[in-house]
Amino acid sequence: YEQALAAHPDFALARLRLGDVLGRLGHYDLAAAQLRAAAQSPQLGTEERGRADAHALALTGKVAEAAAAHAQLARRFPDEPEHELSRIA
């Protein structure tokens, strides 16, 4: 993902995936920065941007704000069970 972003800095999906990977590796602040940047991109859909923002909030310890963001996603996208499960986890 880093190579893709070096070549194409506006590649939002690569930034989103890099944020996911960094978070899984325990690099929470770096992950949150990538996720927040991805959430600002018009390349991603509304749902993806909301998920990126909610994940960034959770990674930085803003649990209540992350839960509220996931609740909003669950209301806006009721057919997507991931948002409801994210609120529970």
Side-chain angles (χ1 to χ4, degrees):
Y1 300 116
E2 290 173 337
Q3 290 176 351
L5 288 168
H8 305 283
D10 295 333
F11 188 7
L13 189 56
R15 196 164 298 285
L16 180 69
R17 298 295 177 244
L18 178 59
D20 287 339
V21 169
L22 288 169
R24 289 185 179 149
L25 293 173
H27 303 289
Y28 304 125
D29 289 335
L30 294 173
Q34 293 297 328
L35 291 166
R36 281 193 296 268
Q40 298 302 312
S41 175
Q43 292 177 8
L44 299 180
T46 303
E47 185 176 2
E48 287 177 312
R49 288 193 313 267
R51 187 187 71 77
D53 189 47
H55 193 181
L57 289 167
L59 288 172
T60 56
K62 297 177 181 172
V63 179
E65 291 175 54
H70 280 295
Q72 182 177 6
L73 285 168
R75 284 190 302 277
R76 287 191 72 186
F77 304 98
D79 294 335
E80 180 55 59
E82 173 189 345
H83 303 308
E84 196 63 38
L85 291 174
S86 295
R87 289 179 53 205
I88 296 168

